[in-house]
Amino acid sequence: MLSAESSNMFMQDPMRFYRAKRDSARRRVGDKYTILGFISSGTYGRVYQARSKEEDGQIHAIKKFKPDKEGDVVTYTGISQSAIREIALNREISHENVVALKEVLLEDKSIYMVFEYAEHDFLQVIHHHSQTLRSNISTSVLKSLTYQLLNGLLYLHNAHIIHRDLKPANILITHQGVVKIGDLGLARLTQEPLQPLFAGDKVVVTIWYRAPELLLGAKHYNKAVDIWAVGCVVAELASLRPIFKGEEAKLDSKKNVPFQKDQLLKIFEVLGTPNEHDWEGLKNMPEYQNMKRMDTYNTQLHKWCMSRQSLATAQGFDFLNQLFKYDPDQRLSAKEALQHQWFQETPKPTANAFHGLPQHQIPPNRRITQDDAPSMMPLPAVAATSQLQTTAASQLQAAQAQAQLSGKGSAGSFGSVGGAGHTRKKARLG
Amino acid sequence: MATDFWASSHYKRWNIDRATVKLARSQDLQYVDDPEYLDFLSIFFANLIGKLGKKLGLRQRVIATAIVFFRRFYVKNSYCETDPFVVIAACCYVAAKAEESPIHIKNVVTEARLIFSSEEIGVKTFPSDNHKLAEMEFYLVADLDCDLVVFHPYRTLMSLCGKEGQITIREAEAGEMGTGIDDGPRYWGTGEGKLELQEGAVQLAWFIINDTYRSDLCLLYPPHLIAIAALYLTVVLHATTHNQLHGPPSSQGSQSQTHSSKIAPRRSSRPTNSSLKRHTQQDIVTFLAGLNVNMSLIATIAQEIISMYTLWERYKEDPSDTSARNTFSASQFPSTSNTLPSAPVSGRAGMMRSGSVFSGGTATSSAGTPSTGEDLSGSQHRLGQLPQLVKPAVMTPLFLTQVLLRMREAKMVDMGMVVGGMRPMAYDKRLERAQAAG
Ligand SMILES: Nc1ncnc2c1ncn2[C@@H]1O[C@H](COP(=O)(O)OP(=O)(O)OP(=O)(O)O)[C@@H](O)[C@H]1O
Ligand SMILES: [Mg+2]
């Protein structure tokens, strides 16, 4: 028999027994997975590599959302909009070219999303070629990656989802060379939005991949912003550096979004200054007057393409040109892009993007490090760690390499890919 | 996915059969004096979510999503083992995020406390601590299996009623259905032909859909079927109303133009007597039959909606309001002319969509104790002293709150706990039942 005290508590907090019941039935992360190490830390949490204790020890990536803290005490303060989005959308979708969510575990005030593991990502491939191989990505690989990326995007767009944060670090590739679009933390359903898209998030898409209509302050935008980002990604794969590497103007103290002059300048230098003839809606853009005050440029895109081996054909140029249409309505849709002649030209895209590649051309496996914040996750078993790491020195090295690869500058201590104070700026605001 | 209902979590995991719904209430049935109370609780909770949602400025679709979350939660849980008031608040909080119109947790706590502790409801235990609600959110999301995308009948209604309806509604509601509707392929019907109804009729159908959330229909049937059933009822109701008041529709053709909703779209939600502009009732029934859906299923759903209204008639939130309720009965349903719909008449356009066929059902009460005559001196009564709550003729929130409390106490006693922290008490439910029966 329970005491009077506990029955009082029950009347005061009638959910006590419910919670106790759920807590005891809950399967814990540690019951199901062995954490092998830490992969990356992002805006919303940390990503770990884990081995399933069931199903033949499959490898997974577990994204742990940062728990909220008040002082030192971890507490419940409400699940972030970003986590809700990523969870809600991932529960609905399933496509070969979109990273699959296996399950979500809720434990100790934290949310763990368990994803299928992807050994590589676009940023890694770019880096491997620019730093290690010092050679271009082959046309075949470039085309295969692009095709699969568009294929995944077509699925998302058909499902009325805009990704809104496409960039090399968010586009993963499995060991088998299959592209997997990841990170739906900024993605949104566009069907019957109760609020216009711009109302929810002041800033979307990381600055280098941000479409001109967004930079010009458009209140309404659509799937075409993802297509622009694809154009930027394709160009980056072809040249191994971001094509429009602008400096982001920071939000002012009132959180107003400033005019992104430098980013627009970087775009105009390559594509030329847009005019009302190419883009009817241009004059209605909120930043139109600011734009008018900038110097004008002519397009250089053809020249740009001709000097990049893998886009140096008429079709290659046309493809990129169509992805970079200033007028969002004229930009190719994912479907049209997939049907572009460039994909018909040899070499044709392959299902395994790394098909026929010599091993050394495939980027190395993800570097897994010791979690630098061990309290965040139960520490991996010693045996599991030692397989992966040998010395403390190599761990540090690995951590640095990883931080650079993902452009995170973890704890602000590591420089970014491009150096010179640039970082791959986050699209999101706190 | 968003367009593909058949591939959605809603269809794959949350379209459940009646047996499952029944099973979900089995523990509650054990502890409730009268099984019917559970159906009234269903109405009560939906109304509460609507009330809290409106206070928080949530749109009708967000409120509908919150109610669906609530129903799904109670597919897995019992009223008597949980605190439905905390669950209600958490459902609103999560639904707002899931529908991309987030609200601050603090507001939810404040408004929920205000509403729940009102004299009308009398629940004083709602926690003032934000963390408590956030904690509930966590458990709620887990019990929902993280399935947070919900389909609703509103979209089907809008696409079935075609441009005419869509445009007026869109202007009027300033985005209730969303800015820039991006309608994908349809997952039902042929996609051919549109139903041309005047706004009054569309609005009535909309209100009927709102009302369906007061039952378990949203768990049992795909939303598009509920929409079609609502339209079907609209047609029946309106045609009858029309014929009774003014004779056959054709003779009223010219008058209908002067009543056109475009002239004064928001002044009144009362459908003009000629809402069926170019269609006879038969036309529309034929139209509905032409959609490739199972019409006998539609009839079943329509019947269930009517049953819900019948029940709802005996539920009252405002004791002083009796008129609309008493004249609206199931037997009168198809022929009632003077009660439909007396839904909201003024207020912001955006709020109109939250209306119901029963305007009275959502009215806020200022009255204190229910005047229904039952012995309900309330919480002072302890188990054992009051063998059964006397079943009132009309259900009120306060009574239902008592029912809930009592279920919880009975459950507690069963678990071997001391009630009220004072007197240990032998309590045998079966014995009590036997006494009550004998
Ligand atoms: N399924 C996966 N398999 C392997 N690695 C992954 C996987 N998912 C994510 N990662 C790694 O973790 C990084 C961060 O993941 P993700 O982008 O989902 O998190 P985020 O917190 O939103 O990060 P960011 O703020 O950088 O966008 C990725 O860039 C990638 O390096
Ligand atoms: Mg990311």
Side-chain angles (χ1 to χ4, degrees):
Chain A
M1 165 141 339
L2 292 162
S3 67
E5 223 169 282
S6 72
S7 79
N8 255 342
M9 265 196 240
F10 183 69
M11 295 313 278
Q12 284 304 309
D13 179 5
M15 293 304 254
R16 272 185 116 227
F17 292 106
Y18 160 80
R19 288 197 306 271
K21 198 163 107 183
R22 287 283 174 264
D23 289 344
S24 67
R26 183 161 294 148
R27 307 220 34 204
R28 304 180 65 88
V29 178
D31 297 340
K32 303 184 81 173
Y33 300 93
T34 308
I35 305 302
L36 301 176
F38 165 68
I39 298 176
S40 161
S41 120
T43 324
Y44 288 101
R46 310 171 68 80
V47 179
Y48 297 83
Q49 191 191 51
R51 185 194 306 280
S52 171
K53 293 185 175 177
E54 302 143 13
E55 327 156 36
D56 316 319
Q58 282 243 39
I59 300 291
H60 296 280
I62 299 185
K63 183 168 177 173
K64 179 190 183 183
F65 284 89
K66 280 178 195 149
D68 290 304
K69 280 195 175 184
E70 278 184 6
D72 277 345
V73 188
V74 176
T75 178
Y76 293 102
T77 54
I79 303 173
S80 72
Q81 185 69 23
S82 167
I84 291 279
R85 272 176 186 152
E86 190 161 14
I87 291 169
L89 294 176
N90 268 296
R91 286 291 286 167
E92 304 294 323
I93 58 181
S94 157
H95 187 269
E96 149 114 272
N97 297 120
V98 180
V99 76
L101 175 70
K102 198 190 146 214
E103 63 176 331
V104 182
L105 296 165
L106 295 111
E107 175 183 325
D108 289 341
K109 308 180 179 67
S110 293
I111 297 173
Y112 298 84
M113 297 182 75
V114 182
F115 289 102
E116 67 178 312
Y117 188 70
E119 193 61 76
H120 313 286
D121 57 55
F122 277 27
L123 192 57
Q124 243 190 0
V125 171
I126 290 164
H127 259 257
H128 184 58
H129 283 81
S130 66
Q131 308 298 117
T132 310
L133 301 175
R134 297 184 178 276
S135 69
N136 287 325
I137 295 170
S138 74
T139 309
S140 158
V141 171
L142 171 65
K143 213 181 267 187
S144 304
L145 293 177
T146 306
Y147 190 87
Q148 294 187 37
L149 166 60
L150 284 165
N151 202 35
L153 192 60
L154 174 63
Y155 173 80
L156 292 178
H157 284 181
N158 278 343
H160 298 269
I161 296 168
I162 314 188
H163 187 285
R164 305 199 302 182
D165 198 14
L166 285 178
K167 58 177 177 180
N170 286 341
I171 309 166
L172 313 177
I173 313 166
T174 65
H175 186 64
Q176 289 79 24
V178 179
V179 172
K180 305 275 179 185
I181 298 176
D183 197 354
L184 295 186
L186 250 194
R188 261 198 72 165
L189 273 179
T190 61
Q191 198 167 36
E192 299 163 7
L194 289 174
Q195 307 231 27
L197 296 181
F198 72 89
D201 312 84
K202 277 194 176 164
V203 180
V204 296
V205 194
T206 306
I207 186 96
W208 298 342
Y209 308 90
R210 198 177 298 161
E213 62 269 28
L214 293 171
L215 296 166
L216 292 171
K219 293 278 177 255
H220 297 281
Y221 58 87
N222 57 26
K223 295 161 186 171
V225 303
D226 284 343
I227 297 295
W228 179 275
V230 169
C232 298
V233 169
V234 172
E236 190 166 336
L237 289 170
S239 71
L240 302 181
R241 49 196 313 278
I243 181 171
F244 310 127
K245 199 170 158 187
E247 195 76 59
E248 181 163 32
K250 291 289 170 226
L251 300 182
D252 67 16
S253 54
K254 289 180 207 120
K255 294 230 171 173
N256 291 316
V257 181
F259 178 54
Q260 297 292 353
K261 185 173 171 190
D262 191 59
Q263 183 60 32
L264 281 168
L265 184 70
K266 294 296 186 306
I267 295 172
F268 296 172
E269 281 171 0
V270 180
L271 300 180
T273 304
N275 58 53
E276 293 79 355
H277 180 72
D278 304 331
W279 183 7
E280 223 190 286
L282 180 63
K283 53 188 175 303
N284 303 323
M285 292 291 142
E287 301 285 11
Y288 179 69
Q289 292 308 330
N290 276 329
M291 188 204 92
K292 277 283 159 197
R293 283 193 280 274
M294 293 169 63
D295 294 340
T296 57
Y297 296 84
N298 293 319
T299 179
Q300 306 288 327
L301 188 65
H302 190 264
K303 211 170 92 194
W304 191 94
C305 284
M306 291 313 141
S307 61
R308 324 279 149 169
Q309 186 201 317
S310 38
L311 288 168
T313 66
Q315 294 300 348
F317 161 72
D318 188 68
F319 179 66
L320 196 57
N321 193 232
Q322 304 252 26
L323 297 179
F324 281 150
K325 284 282 182 213
Y326 275 120
D327 183 349
D329 294 338
Q330 289 180 42
R331 227 169 277 157
L332 292 182
S333 67
K335 189 166 188 189
E336 289 162 346
L338 284 166
Q339 288 162 352
H340 195 276
Q341 279 302 310
W342 183 57
F343 291 113
Q344 302 304 322
E345 246 175 26
T346 44
K348 296 214 173 142
T350 52
N352 173 355
F354 302 135
H355 179 79
L357 277 196
Q359 188 57 42
H360 77 279
Q361 289 205 12
I362 298 174
N365 289 354
R366 277 184 198 286
R367 305 295 289 272
I368 306 302
T369 67
Q370 190 75 267
D371 191 346
D372 56 341
S375 62
M376 299 285 277
M377 190 89 155
L379 267 179
V382 181
T385 346
S386 59
Q387 289 178 318
L388 292 148
Q389 282 123 15
T390 44
T391 66
S394 79
Q395 283 176 29
L396 182 63
Q397 225 175 3
Q400 288 182 349
Q402 185 57 41
Q404 296 205 342
L405 268 184
S406 57
K408 291 289 157 41
S410 165
S413 53
F414 304 124
S416 71
V417 177
H422 285 287
T423 50
R424 287 178 180 257
K425 295 177 186 74
K426 289 304 305 159
R428 298 158 208 180
L429 303 173
Chain B
M1 124 229 159
T3 46
D4 191 359
F5 175 71
W6 307 115
S8 69
S9 65
H10 187 150
Y11 177 69
K12 287 192 292 193
R13 294 189 282 270
W14 295 102
N15 214 252
I16 58 183
D17 59 16
R18 197 169 285 286
T20 311
V21 173
K22 265 215 167 98
L23 192 67
R25 292 282 66 76
S26 56
Q27 190 175 198
D28 287 327
L29 273 173
Q30 232 183 303
Y31 295 106
V32 76
D33 291 328
D34 185 334
E36 210 183 39
Y37 291 164
L38 296 182
D39 300 327
F40 285 110
L41 281 173
S42 206
I43 296 176
F44 172 48
F45 293 140
N47 284 357
L48 264 187
I49 293 172
K51 189 179 274 183
L52 177 57
K54 255 170 262 168
K55 253 303 179 47
L56 292 167
L58 301 181
R59 291 183 175 278
Q60 187 57 35
R61 195 175 84 202
V62 185
I63 291 171
T65 296
I67 298 176
V68 171
F69 287 167
F70 182 85
R71 303 249 179 261
R72 289 180 181 181
F73 180 84
Y74 282 107
V75 168
K76 293 185 175 178
N77 294 287
S78 302
Y79 297 139
C80 63
E81 268 191 333
T82 56
D83 181 354
F85 299 98
V86 176
V87 177
I88 282 173
C91 286
C92 288
Y93 181 50
V94 179
K97 282 189 264 193
E99 296 283 354
E100 296 279 356
S101 6
I103 41 178
H104 202 285
I105 190 162
K106 211 181 157 79
N107 293 348
V108 186
V109 171
T110 309
E111 295 301 338
R113 274 173 69 80
L114 268 175
I115 291 176
F116 298 154
S117 67
S118 68
E119 272 183 285
E120 187 196 12
I121 293 161
V123 172
K124 311 278 184 197
T125 51
F126 193 89
S128 56
D129 184 355
N130 294 353
H131 302 148
K132 275 287 164 204
L133 182 58
E135 178 187 58
M136 184 62 234
E137 174 190 38
F138 213 77
Y139 285 85
L140 171 66
V141 168
D143 266 355
L144 294 175
D145 293 339
C146 299
D147 291 329
L148 303 176
V149 177
V150 178
F151 284 69
H152 294 292
Y154 304 110
R155 197 202 315 171
T156 309
L157 176 68
M158 288 302 101
S159 36
L160 265 185
C161 292
K163 276 217 146 59
E164 193 182 343
Q166 205 164 39
I167 285 167
T168 50
I169 295 245
R170 220 197 300 178
E171 286 166 355
E173 300 311 323
E176 176 65 64
M177 283 305 297
T179 41
I181 290 177
D182 177 9
D183 205 10
R186 307 165 64 147
Y187 56 90
W188 43 264
T190 60
E192 280 166 33
K194 298 273 185 182
L195 197 52
E196 288 178 36
L197 296 180
Q198 275 199 347
E199 198 199 343
V202 177
Q203 195 149 65
L204 176 57
W206 185 290
F207 289 167
I208 292 175
I209 291 172
N210 290 352
D211 292 345
T212 61
Y213 288 95
R214 289 173 171 89
S215 70
D216 286 326
L217 281 169
C218 58
L219 294 174
L220 295 166
Y221 301 104
H224 65 285
L225 296 184
I226 295 175
I228 294 169
L231 263 177
Y232 173 77
L233 283 176
T234 303
V235 165
V236 172
L237 280 169
H238 265 168
T240 316
T241 305
H242 180 97
N243 290 341
Q244 278 197 342
L245 290 176
H246 303 285
S250 49
S251 67
Q252 294 295 318
S254 59
Q255 203 193 334
S256 78
Q257 300 309 327
T258 63
H259 278 252
S260 167
S261 51
K262 277 171 193 136
I263 296 168
R266 296 261 78 77
R267 290 299 142 243
S268 167
S269 65
R270 186 183 294 275
T272 56
N273 55 24
S274 52
S275 289
L276 303 177
K277 200 162 70 178
R278 271 159 251 166
H279 291 264
T280 64
Q281 180 184 342
Q282 197 46 48
D283 279 345
I284 292 163
V285 170
T286 311
F287 172 86
L288 293 177
L291 304 168
N292 57 18
V293 294
N294 178 343
M295 279 314 280
S296 73
L297 195 52
I298 299 295
T300 307
I301 298 170
Q303 196 53 53
E304 288 180 38
I305 296 174
I306 292 172
S307 308
M308 183 273 303
Y309 280 124
T310 315
L311 198 73
W312 190 7
E313 203 183 332
R314 287 162 49 214
Y315 172 82
K316 188 166 59 180
E317 290 191 357
D318 183 352
S320 64
D321 161 52
T322 46
S323 54
R325 214 61 63 75
N326 293 342
T327 44
F328 195 108
S329 78
S331 53
Q332 293 169 326
F333 194 83
S335 58
T336 303
S337 57
N338 60 339
T339 59
L340 277 177
S342 53
V345 253
S346 61
R348 288 200 303 118
M351 298 300 276
M352 292 300 289
R353 288 288 127 188
S354 62
S356 138
V357 173
F358 268 0
S359 60
T362 53
T364 313
S365 167
S366 53
T369 37
S371 56
T372 42
E374 72 275 33
D375 178 11
L376 221 186
S377 28
S379 47
Q380 299 99 302
H381 283 280
R382 288 280 159 224
L383 289 173
Q385 291 177 286
L386 184 67
Q388 272 203 347
L389 293 172
V390 177
K391 187 173 179 177
V394 176
M395 298 290 153
T396 62
L398 198 54
F399 178 78
L400 291 169
T401 307
Q402 295 300 315
V403 167
L404 201 63
L405 206 66
R406 201 182 151 79
M407 285 166 66
R408 195 185 292 163
E409 285 178 350
K411 163 77 187 171
M412 223 164 52
V413 170
D414 243 19
M415 287 166 70
M417 277 189 287
V418 180
V419 176
M422 292 176 292
R423 290 153 290 176
M425 207 174 313
Y427 181 81
D428 187 338
K429 191 120 185 86
R430 280 154 302 173
L431 181 68
E432 184 194 287
R433 281 238 170 95
Q435 284 169 345

